Amino acid sequence: MTLRLMQVAAILVLAACGTAPSQSSAQQASSTKPFTETEVTRFEAPWAMDFLPGSGVATTKMALVTEKGGKLWLLDTATGRKQEVAGVPSVHVAGQGGLGDVVAHPGFAGNQRVYLSYIEPGPGGTSGAVIGYGRLLLGQGQPRLEGFKVIWRQSPKVTGNGHFSHRIAFAPDGSMFISSGDRQKFDPAQDAASDLGKIIHMTDQGQRIGGHHYSMGHRNVLGLAFAPDGRLWETEMGPQGGDEVNLIVEGKNYGWPRASYGSHYGGGDIPDDHKGRGFEEPKVWWNPSISPGGLLIYAGDLFPQWKGDALIPALSGQALIRVDIDGDQARKADQWDMGARVRAVDQGRKAKSICSRTVTAADACSS
């Protein structure tokens, strides 16, 4: 599995080549990539990545990368040198589960706090997602996490090894949003008392804000990010088709499993009427699936025409996809063939580079 550093090859204005959100045809690939790709290093089943903020700079050249098997790495993206981080909690690895997201606290330059999501076992063959944080100690030999503290446990723990979601995003005010998947149990996504199928708002210490959950009716949210205007966006894997981009609004219900533009595996139909059934419509959707693995809202200067747009890594789609975001609206724009499953994308130092992780078919269980 490869970490690729993609650098600008040319600045060009990109024309929209996708379809409207209300249409279901697949997006066509854009013919020219406006970037070059350079392999930096390799990992075993990489899952998430985050560049470390610096003192007085938004990001440094140093990034943290998780491997699903339970390892956390500190990577120098300029040289490719990587160091394993000690002090990572024990991780339950099965199916789609393992070590998941990694996000540095917005105040990392002062508090050195790093948040991780991962899977822990429960009684009777159950499991659930966990989120916690520790202090990342650097410059004292091997990098290590110290004083790791769990602040959220997915409830209830259930059987099965899929749809954990467990993405983390910090809001502009410093509070946290996390995604909690439906665990392939369907109906709990519509149960207001369950964590499953929800997006949850909390403080950076894990206290819930505004009630039990922020939004509900979600399947498997694997991308969660804020736009520069403060709006929260997500990417969500549908069933057989029906992958989505949603604008997340407090108190809204996004319909799963009662509404979807996809079908159940095996061909069972799902009503696609969202609005008429009281649910929020996705802003963009795909059929057949692209399997969105993450989400970056671009904020750099190299591609000024992309500012505020979504960059989406696609697993089964084997592509990097741009969705044009304009306020509370979105439309498909570009889809660049990457020739491999892409797990995630992040923006590097001074927005001079964008990094992505590509994964092969060996990682198919992670989709």
Side-chain angles (χ1 to χ4, degrees):
M1 292 72 174
T2 305
L3 180 70
R4 294 181 180 177
L5 179 67
M6 301 183 295
Q7 297 178 320
V8 61
I11 301 290
L12 50 91
V13 177
L14 301 169
C17 63
T19 59
S22 60
Q23 296 176 306
S24 61
S25 59
Q27 184 175 353
Q28 295 180 352
S30 300
S31 59
T32 303
K33 294 178 184 175
F35 49 79
T36 58
E37 303 163 61
T38 304
E39 180 177 322
V40 175
T41 191
R42 296 194 171 201
F43 295 94
E44 182 64 35
W47 204 92
M49 168 175 59
D50 194 31
F51 281 91
L52 293 178
S55 180
V57 296
T59 57
T60 68
K61 66 179 181 178
M62 305 303 292
L64 292 170
V65 179
T66 61
E67 289 180 336
K68 193 178 75 171
K71 291 184 179 181
L72 175 65
W73 297 91
L74 178 68
L75 171 70
D76 185 332
T77 59
T79 66
R81 179 174 182 255
K82 60 182 183 180
Q83 303 174 75
E84 185 176 354
V85 178
V88 175
S90 178
V91 171
H92 177 66
V93 181
Q96 295 175 16
L99 184 58
D101 213 356
V102 56
V103 177
H105 190 279
F108 175 83
N111 61 24
Q112 292 82 52
R113 192 181 296 172
V114 169
Y115 289 74
L116 296 175
S117 70
Y118 60 96
I119 307 309
E120 67 174 9
T126 63
S127 63
V130 170
I131 289 175
Y133 70 85
R135 184 181 176 214
L136 179 63
L137 300 182
L138 301 174
Q140 304 175 31
Q142 182 183 9
R144 69 184 186 276
L145 282 179
E146 183 179 74
F148 194 86
K149 175 184 177 182
V150 172
I151 63 171
W152 174 77
R153 284 185 162 92
Q154 193 175 49
S155 178
K157 285 184 169 66
V158 297
T159 57
N161 299 308
H163 295 190
F164 296 97
S165 293
H166 59 33
R167 282 290 186 187
I168 304 167
F170 279 95
D173 65 3
S175 63
M176 286 175 57
F177 285 79
I178 63 172
S179 64
S180 178
D182 80 332
R183 297 299 315 279
Q184 297 174 314
K185 303 302 181 185
F186 301 95
D187 290 339
Q190 292 296 324
D191 179 357
S194 169
D195 281 352
L196 307 188
K198 311 297 189 297
I199 290 175
I200 299 167
H201 188 196
M202 61 177 60
T203 70
D204 63 2
Q205 291 292 314
Q207 291 82 32
R208 299 200 189 211
I209 297 173
H212 181 270
H213 59 268
Y214 193 81
S215 63
M216 63 187 296
H218 299 289
R219 185 176 183 268
N220 192 17
V221 177
L222 289 175
L224 195 63
F226 280 89
D229 62 7
R231 290 183 171 96
L232 178 61
W233 294 84
E234 58 104 296
T235 54
E236 184 167 341
M237 282 196 181
Q240 191 166 289
D243 295 337
E244 299 175 353
V245 172
N246 287 297
L247 172 63
I248 300 303
V249 178
E250 185 175 8
K252 297 299 184 179
N253 188 327
Y254 289 79
W256 179 256
R258 298 177 184 170
S260 173
Y261 285 108
S263 301
H264 288 299
Y265 290 101
D269 187 48
I270 306 172
D272 60 14
D273 179 19
H274 288 68
K275 186 175 180 180
R277 298 164 64 87
F279 302 130
E280 289 295 293
E281 286 276 1
K283 298 296 183 179
V284 172
W285 56 278
W286 287 266
N287 200 341
S289 294
I290 58 158
S291 306
L295 174 64
L296 168 69
I297 303 295
Y298 183 71
D301 296 322
L302 283 179
F303 304 93
Q305 70 276 23
W306 293 1
K307 277 197 172 182
D309 288 354
L311 294 178
I312 302 168
L315 291 160
S316 64
Q318 298 194 3
L320 181 65
I321 295 170
R322 182 175 71 91
V323 169
D324 183 9
I325 294 176
D326 184 7
D328 62 356
Q329 300 300 310
R331 64 186 179 92
K332 296 176 185 177
D334 291 282
Q335 181 165 322
W336 298 289
D337 181 13
M338 300 297 289
R341 294 160 55 85
V342 186
R343 167 55 68 185
V345 61
D346 200 10
Q347 185 174 304
R349 188 177 181 181
K350 297 182 181 178
K352 288 185 177 179
S353 63
I354 299 171
C355 282
S356 72
R357 280 170 308 289
T358 61
V359 292
T360 67
D363 189 48
C365 65
S366 292
S367 65

